[in-house]
Amino acid sequence: MLSQQDLIEIISKGENPYIEFKEEKIRPNDLAGEIVSFANMEGGTIIIGVSDDGIIKGVFAEDIEEKIMNICRNNCIPNIIPIYKEININGLKVVVLTIPKGINKPYYTVDNKYYIRVGTTKRIASREELMRLFQASGAVHFDISSVEGTTKKDINMDLIRDYFLKYNMFDLYEETEEAVDRILVNADILKEGINTKECTVGGLLIFGKKVEDKLPQSGISFAHFKGNDITEELIDKKQIVGNLPDIVEQSLVIIKNNIKTPSTIVGALREEKETYPSVVLREALVNAVVHRNYSIIGSKIRILMFSDRIEFHSPGKLPNTVTIDKMKIGVSYSRNPFLVKYMENLRYIDQLGRGIPMIIKNMKDLGAREPELREIGEEFVLTIYESD
């Protein structure tokens, strides 16, 4: 419960990415923009009756709550339901409006402006930021968008032929070129462009040649540190590129080669102890490559290996309705349905939603500390601790 003293302390510290001051006479659309900007990000608090420099000026309108709720209902689309509270400070009424993190992103104002919160201000979302908001809502899937400047020559037709032979029981090479193009478009591997057919993001990621040339954000950066901190001596460093099946297999080999495997002598035999089970590592890798946000251009998946743990850093926050607690009990989400479908058919995914519970159970059964799931900035991080 926010007290008067708590509010005075908050105001004294000034505005920040989660706190905004507004005076009573703010225009409805301006207030709607502030509300929308918080809902599109991580949520925040608007304190009404306080100037930008932290001077408490108060709110005097008797119907202020009704006015604000009308703005939330009529000027914000979809409508937003904030937590409204009035607090008296030295005889002046101050309104505290708490905006939750939105579950129906993207939100916009009645004049069709999509705002996000950046630092202590709101601004209109860029094209890339807007794409991420639509992805979070499930309305747009980046993995079936086209990659500009690509053609059918950028995908490995032998891999695609093998895929269709195995799962669709026909030979792509027996089809006419026109029929092949139609099949690839229907399979979302190619997409109709303005002048030609272009590869989709998913088509390149699963079947592409030199994927990293067209999608530099693809691939994995691996680093192994001697101790338990990123400042420790670097033992090994690798850049892992290729299509997703190759990346998973290469990464698994690299991680295993960097794991010290303890052993004990039982009778005349040496028995090695598996500190990180292969099934856990494989699942963590598949989760990272399938569920990361590929619209974030400047970031790769990062695997950081320490003496006591392995961290899998995957670019992109969790989608709208997904929480870490839900993931732990097997609630699934599909940011990239194309990738999920094809990796499932290629037997890299057993059943959507089972991965995280399986990782947690396997590591706990080995006596290891429970794996951690966290959102840090624009990354989702899975940490697996070494078993004793």
Side-chain angles (χ1 to χ4, degrees):
M1 183 72 71
L2 186 68
S3 68
Q4 180 189 87
Q5 190 55 45
D6 291 335
L7 182 56
I8 291 172
E9 187 174 340
I10 289 170
I11 294 172
S12 70
K13 292 179 180 177
E15 294 178 324
N16 63 44
Y18 303 98
I19 301 290
E20 176 71 20
F21 300 155
K22 287 298 172 191
E23 295 189 37
E24 180 179 10
K25 292 183 179 179
I26 183 173
R27 292 185 301 174
N29 259 14
D30 288 341
L31 181 56
E34 299 291 352
I35 293 167
V36 160
S37 72
F38 278 125
N40 277 332
M41 303 302 285
E42 297 301 303
T45 300
I46 301 172
I47 302 173
I48 302 173
V50 179
S51 64
D52 288 341
D53 54 2
I55 297 173
I56 299 170
K57 295 192 172 182
V59 173
F60 300 94
E62 293 295 328
D63 59 348
I64 186 67
E65 181 176 2
E66 182 182 353
K67 287 180 177 178
I68 289 172
M69 290 307 178
N70 282 337
I71 289 170
C72 292
R73 182 169 55 250
N74 300 325
N75 295 64
C76 302
I77 305 172
N79 62 64
I80 294 167
I81 302 174
I83 299 170
Y84 180 95
K85 185 176 179 62
E86 293 179 3
I87 293 179
N88 191 289
I89 300 177
N90 299 327
L92 294 172
K93 180 170 69 176
V94 173
V95 171
V96 180
L97 203 63
T98 303
I99 315 301
K101 176 182 178 180
I103 61 171
N104 294 309
K105 299 175 185 176
Y107 295 87
Y108 59 99
T109 57
V110 72
D111 55 348
N112 294 309
K113 293 179 180 177
Y114 294 82
Y115 290 101
I116 59 171
R117 181 81 174 176
V118 179
T120 59
T121 60
K122 75 177 191 298
R123 67 168 168 80
I124 293 176
S126 67
R127 180 180 178 276
E128 290 75 18
E129 289 160 341
L130 192 55
M131 172 69 78
R132 290 177 208 167
L133 290 173
F134 275 107
Q135 273 190 275
S137 72
V140 171
H141 297 296
F142 188 74
D143 61 342
I144 56 171
S145 62
S146 60
V147 181
E148 189 176 356
T150 59
T151 67
K152 192 165 66 175
K153 293 180 180 179
D154 292 304
I155 50 179
N156 187 325
M157 291 302 297
D158 289 337
L159 288 179
I160 297 174
R161 180 201 186 203
D162 290 345
Y163 176 87
F164 281 111
L165 275 174
K166 190 170 184 179
Y167 301 107
N168 294 76
M169 304 299 291
F170 68 87
D171 190 343
L172 209 60
Y173 288 176
E174 293 178 357
E175 305 288 335
T176 65
E177 186 173 354
E178 181 182 353
V180 168
D181 285 355
R182 186 172 64 253
I183 290 167
L184 296 184
V185 168
N186 289 336
D188 288 324
I189 296 169
L190 294 180
K191 199 175 185 93
E192 295 281 0
I194 297 174
N195 299 314
T196 185
K197 294 177 178 67
E198 297 174 326
C199 302
T200 62
V201 171
L204 274 178
L205 288 170
I206 300 292
F207 301 112
K209 307 173 187 173
K210 295 186 176 180
V211 182
E212 63 279 8
D213 289 348
K214 301 296 182 179
L215 295 171
Q217 69 271 39
S218 67
I220 291 177
S221 295
F222 172 83
H224 182 189
F225 300 92
K226 187 173 184 179
N228 293 333
D229 192 88
I230 203 166
T231 60
E232 302 279 358
E233 178 187 339
L234 189 63
I235 296 174
D236 192 13
K237 185 177 182 180
K238 295 281 193 302
Q239 294 294 322
I240 307 158
V241 297
N243 60 45
L244 295 196
D246 284 348
I247 285 173
V248 171
E249 300 301 340
Q250 290 178 58
S251 300
L252 193 56
V253 170
I254 289 169
I255 293 172
K256 284 185 171 183
N257 287 343
N258 276 271
I259 293 173
K260 292 181 180 178
T261 306
S263 61
T264 56
I265 303 298
V266 180
L269 300 175
R270 180 183 296 275
E271 290 189 357
E272 292 188 342
K273 180 182 177 183
E274 198 172 32
T275 54
Y276 296 102
S278 295
V279 66
V280 167
L281 295 174
R282 189 179 185 86
E283 191 65 42
L285 286 164
V286 171
N287 262 313
V289 300
V290 166
H291 295 304
R292 72 148 287 180
N293 187 339
Y294 284 97
S295 71
I296 300 177
I297 305 299
S299 298
K300 290 180 179 288
I301 293 167
R302 294 183 297 140
I303 300 176
L304 307 180
M305 187 172 179
F306 302 92
S307 61
D308 67 338
R309 69 192 188 280
I310 304 175
E311 296 178 357
F312 297 81
H313 292 246
S314 187
K317 296 179 180 180
L318 295 175
N320 276 357
T321 59
V322 178
T323 65
I324 285 170
D325 287 339
K326 286 182 179 180
M327 291 180 70
K328 287 181 177 180
I329 61 171
V331 173
S332 63
Y333 71 97
S334 182
R335 173 183 278 125
N336 303 306
F338 176 98
L339 298 183
V340 169
K341 178 180 74 174
Y342 280 86
M343 290 295 276
E344 187 173 24
N345 287 345
L346 291 167
R347 299 294 186 267
Y348 282 90
I349 296 174
D350 178 18
Q351 184 178 330
L352 193 61
R354 284 187 55 187
I356 294 299
M358 183 277 289
I359 289 172
I360 292 172
K361 183 180 185 304
N362 272 265
M363 296 311 296
K364 288 175 74 174
D365 287 348
L366 284 176
R369 177 178 166 184
E370 182 175 326
E372 285 185 357
L373 288 73
R374 296 174 292 164
E375 274 190 307
I376 304 175
E378 288 291 326
E379 287 187 322
F380 174 73
V381 182
L382 168 65
T383 302
I384 300 172
Y385 292 91
E386 185 178 56
S387 60
D388 296 329

